[in-house]
Amino acid sequence: MNYVYILQSVSHPEQFYTGLCKDVETRLAAHNAGQSPHTAKFRPWRIVSSHHFQNADTAAALERYLKTGSGRVFAQRHLR
């Protein structure tokens, strides 16, 4: 499975992060352990939503979209 996930910082609730992975729980643990330079300073994180896809290309396309301006607005309205 391929997952697109959205995280929210517990310590800075206005901060969100969108990512792509094969195992959401393992990836969340890596974010919370500070293994990603993009998310380390806003630890700890919690999962807001995750969506699984059989097709890796579809998951990657959704992740790319959610990182655009209109994708962020969509996520704010429908996924958070």
Side-chain angles (χ1 to χ4, degrees):
M1 286 286 176
N2 300 282
Y3 291 88
V4 175
Y5 60 93
I6 299 174
L7 303 178
Q8 180 179 24
S9 172
V10 174
S11 59
H12 298 86
E14 72 284 357
Q15 294 295 320
F16 291 88
Y17 179 81
T18 301
L20 178 68
C21 68
K22 297 239 183 236
D23 181 349
V24 178
E25 293 300 325
T26 301
R27 190 66 183 126
L28 175 62
H31 283 294
N32 284 331
Q35 296 176 0
S36 173
H38 299 286
T39 59
K41 68 181 177 177
F42 296 113
R43 296 182 294 175
W45 293 91
R46 69 179 186 91
I47 298 170
V48 175
S49 67
S50 67
H51 311 277
H52 66 274
F53 296 88
Q54 293 289 336
N55 185 305
D57 293 335
T58 304
L62 178 61
E63 183 206 21
R64 276 191 308 274
Y65 170 68
L66 292 176
K67 290 184 174 185
T68 67
S70 61
R72 287 188 186 110
V73 171
F74 176 84
Q76 184 177 10
R77 289 184 182 164
H78 304 287
L79 302 178
R80 293 187 194 159

